[in-house]
Amino acid sequence: MDKQREQEFQQYVKEVTPTHNLWLQMLKAFLVGGAICVVGQFILNTATNQFGLDKQTAGNWCSLILVLTSVILTGFNIYPGIVKWGGAGALVPITGFANSVAAPAIEFQKEGQVFGIGCKIFTIAGPVILYGIFSSWLLGLGYWLLKVFGMM
């Protein structure tokens, strides 16, 4: 009896588990990530060539525009569709980080400014920030120790 239940369960799992075409997923991620990069490069070129900004200032404007666009698209519930189709291609760049901060804030705004937005805004991005800062601190400490002991 247990063996039959196990087989039925395995069959059920096989039926409900989605199957993905790895090559198609990679192509979609490449296309979406590439499109975001092309838009970013267009902004950089326009800022430097048309508006005469230096590379640093053009890069700042590019980041600002990409983040703002991502947040606006998240607010209108368009960016989640891009993420669903493009996968990691939409999640990895700066636009994905902006989406990961904006989405929980939008989702939990009905719970209020403090307990909704304030508590939930960094639900996804918080660990990234925490471990990024912590690992950079550890690397800095290691670098400092190597300098103190004359190994660098």
Side-chain angles (χ1 to χ4, degrees):
M1 184 74 165
D2 284 334
K3 196 171 194 174
Q4 183 182 1
R5 270 183 87 184
E6 180 67 27
Q7 286 178 334
E8 289 173 1
F9 178 73
Q10 291 301 327
Q11 182 62 31
Y12 171 75
V13 168
K14 195 175 192 181
E15 290 173 7
V16 298
T17 303
T19 58
H20 300 287
N21 182 336
L22 176 64
W23 294 104
L24 181 62
Q25 291 295 98
M26 288 192 305
L27 177 65
K28 288 178 179 180
F30 176 77
L31 291 174
V32 171
I36 292 169
C37 292
V38 166
V39 169
Q41 190 63 51
F42 175 78
I43 295 169
L44 280 173
N45 291 348
T46 303
T48 54
N49 298 334
Q50 300 296 322
F51 297 110
L53 300 176
D54 62 284
K55 282 189 172 191
Q56 179 74 32
T57 307
N60 292 342
W61 275 102
C62 179
S63 297
L64 178 79
I65 291 169
L66 287 174
V67 166
L68 178 64
T69 303
S70 173
V71 170
I72 290 170
L73 291 175
T74 300
F76 285 116
N77 204 27
I78 297 170
Y79 203 84
I82 297 170
V83 170
K84 187 174 183 180
W85 191 82
L91 290 175
V92 173
I94 191 171
T95 54
F97 187 74
N99 173 59
S100 72
V101 173
I106 292 167
E107 183 179 346
F108 292 101
Q109 70 181 349
K110 61 187 166 281
E111 294 181 23
Q113 294 290 319
V114 175
F115 293 113
I117 296 172
C119 291
K120 300 292 185 177
I121 195 165
F122 291 114
T123 302
I124 297 171
V128 174
I129 295 168
L130 170 72
Y131 291 114
I133 291 171
F134 182 69
S135 61
S136 66
W137 181 84
L138 279 178
L139 290 171
L141 179 65
Y143 178 76
W144 178 75
L145 287 172
L146 289 173
K147 291 279 271 187
V148 166
F149 292 112
M151 296 180 187
M152 285 195 89

